[in-house]
Amino acid sequence: MTITAGAPVPVDAVEAAAYTIPTDAPESDGTLAWDSTTLVLATVRAGGATGIGYTYAGTAVATVIRDKLAGVVTRQDALQPPARWAQMLHAVRNLGRPGVVAQAIAAVDIALWDLRSRLLGEPLVVALGAVHESTPIYGSGGFTSYDNDTLREQLTGWVSAGIPRVKIKVGRHPDVDTARLGAARAAIGSGTELYVDANGAYSRKQARLWAHRFDDHDVRWFEEPVSSDDLEGLHQLCQHGPAGMDIAAGEYGYDLPYFQRMLDAGAVDCLQVDVTRCLGITGVLRVAALCDARSLDVSLHCAPQISAHVGAAVWHLRHLEYFHDHVRIEGMAFDGVLDPRPGGVLRPDRSAPGHGLSVKRADLDRFRVS
């Protein structure tokens, strides 16, 4: 289709499907255990092109997309994702925005940005106004369900791939965490940064105790030491934790007010944002602006194939979580995935329109649940 300057391109259809994919081994962190992950895929069609978006959530997200958001977006201009985003936010007032609804909007918003870029023949990273050539990553997994041999194998794999920072889960079995930290540090050596994630497993006093124990292993990043809802507890860790250890949280944020409250409380040294939860690409760029105003770094949470493009457009970008489950699923679900480059970065493809992904529908169909 030839695009005429200023002429709208109406959306023809919005579709959604959900796929539940088993993990490659049992997984757990400080507060949860799981054996599968559900990918919800959104597709938006206009002008002979198709945009692809997704989130990691339950099948209810697909229902929200089909029953509520599709009617909002269909017949509207596909070349204006922020305008469609605003319409979706307005339409869900009575459903409640945080949680499932925000993730549904995120999937459709990602698809709309991809569609706009494909219609205009430009890569998504360019459409978003990139200020970086690539997005730094850190290897993430290190589940509490892993024995030390499995933990070492995963960590050394990331280091061998040139990723200079890695993260493991802690807090489920505190009596073995000191040994796990020792095994992790021995596996990666002194030249790789070591991070930990408690997923809110500790009380305030426990978190302060463990922060100093982790400091003995030169841990540079302590994620969700207490619940993300405990802003005062997070603030105390920022104020009284080891000087070389950053406190991070924010991955469960769904809208702008959540992040505003977290930043106002001085609850983090680096703010986490998830493009598949925080109302999509349009939402993340607004959260990033809050951090720009404070000269505070942003770390993108998971969904690496989309986050790599978004990260390049975030001014105060720290890095992106290269999460084992999402790396595995996106490799199974899509052609065109980005692999880490030397130095531990993902470099978006500037030769392909949109985010460059195409769905492996034949491979995904066996996992379809909705």
Side-chain angles (χ1 to χ4, degrees):
M1 177 180 179
T2 301
I3 305 298
T4 302
V9 180
V11 170
D12 296 320
V14 179
E15 300 166 352
Y19 307 87
T20 296
I21 300 168
T23 57
D24 55 1
E27 296 178 356
S28 63
D29 58 30
T31 54
L32 191 69
W34 62 96
D35 59 10
S36 65
T37 299
T38 298
L39 171 76
V40 178
L41 187 70
T43 54
V44 183
R45 307 181 194 279
T50 300
I52 300 165
Y54 57 91
T55 186
Y56 294 97
T59 57
V61 168
T63 300
V64 173
I65 292 172
R66 288 192 294 257
D67 292 356
K68 190 67 176 181
L69 302 183
V72 175
V73 172
T74 302
R75 294 181 296 279
Q76 301 298 314
D77 186 5
L79 297 178
Q80 300 186 61
R84 307 290 75 78
W85 182 83
Q87 287 179 305
M88 288 189 288
L89 285 187
H90 178 77
V92 301
R93 187 196 69 180
N94 291 346
L95 294 182
R97 190 165 58 204
V100 166
V101 173
Q103 291 181 275
I105 292 174
V108 176
D109 181 75
I110 293 166
L112 284 165
W113 274 106
D114 181 45
L115 176 59
R116 178 190 183 276
S117 300
R118 292 176 192 257
L119 286 167
L120 296 179
E122 63 182 2
L124 179 58
V125 66
V126 172
L128 297 178
V131 294
H132 311 291
E133 288 297 316
S134 59
T135 297
I137 60 174
Y138 66 88
S140 171
F143 303 109
T144 59
S145 50
Y146 285 177
D147 60 30
N148 283 354
D149 287 340
T150 304
L151 179 66
R152 282 188 286 262
E153 181 181 4
Q154 187 179 70
L155 297 179
T156 54
W158 287 326
V159 174
S160 298
I163 300 174
R165 51 195 82 84
V166 299
K167 186 177 80 178
I168 70 170
K169 303 289 191 179
V170 295
R172 176 169 287 269
H173 304 295
D175 55 324
V176 301
D177 275 344
T178 299
R180 293 178 71 247
L181 263 291
R185 176 53 74 189
I188 65 177
S190 60
T192 300
E193 291 186 21
L194 181 58
Y195 299 169
V196 298
D197 182 359
N199 290 98
Y202 300 126
S203 68
R204 294 180 185 182
K205 288 189 176 181
Q206 287 173 331
R208 290 180 66 172
L209 171 67
W210 277 100
H212 291 282
R213 290 177 175 174
F214 295 146
D215 191 43
D216 292 339
H217 297 278
D218 195 25
V219 170
R220 303 292 183 85
W221 171 279
F222 193 177
E223 184 176 327
E224 286 195 309
V226 296
S227 167
S228 289
D229 294 326
D230 183 6
L231 299 183
E232 176 59 29
L234 289 169
H235 175 69
Q236 289 179 13
L237 265 293
C238 287
Q239 293 293 104
H240 302 295
M245 183 184 295
D246 279 348
I247 302 302
E251 68 182 71
Y252 297 110
Y254 293 102
D255 58 10
L256 213 58
Y258 172 97
F259 295 99
Q260 181 69 47
R261 290 191 295 270
M262 184 167 277
L263 294 172
D264 285 345
V268 293
D269 296 306
C270 182
L271 184 69
Q272 294 179 285
V273 189
D274 188 322
V275 69
T276 71
R277 290 176 179 159
C278 179
L279 300 170
I281 293 170
T282 306
V284 167
L285 295 179
R286 281 158 173 74
V287 174
L290 294 179
C291 292
D292 291 343
R294 294 167 168 81
S295 296
L296 188 76
D297 280 356
V298 171
S299 177
L300 296 178
H301 179 261
C302 299
Q305 298 306 318
I306 304 301
S307 297
H309 290 261
V310 179
V314 173
W315 182 19
H316 285 90
L317 175 70
R318 175 80 64 89
H319 43 40
L320 157 65
E321 183 169 0
Y322 195 64
F323 182 53
H324 170 73
D325 287 1
H326 293 187
V327 171
R328 174 175 171 265
I329 288 172
E330 289 169 17
M332 296 168 64
F334 305 115
D335 285 316
V337 297
L338 305 172
D339 291 322
R341 298 289 186 89
V345 301
L346 292 181
R347 189 179 300 275
D349 184 358
R350 292 172 182 258
S351 66
H355 49 49
L357 301 176
S358 58
V359 182
K360 298 178 181 177
R361 296 199 180 272
D363 293 343
L364 272 181
D365 277 349
R366 63 194 173 106
F367 300 114
R368 184 160 179 166
V369 292
S370 172

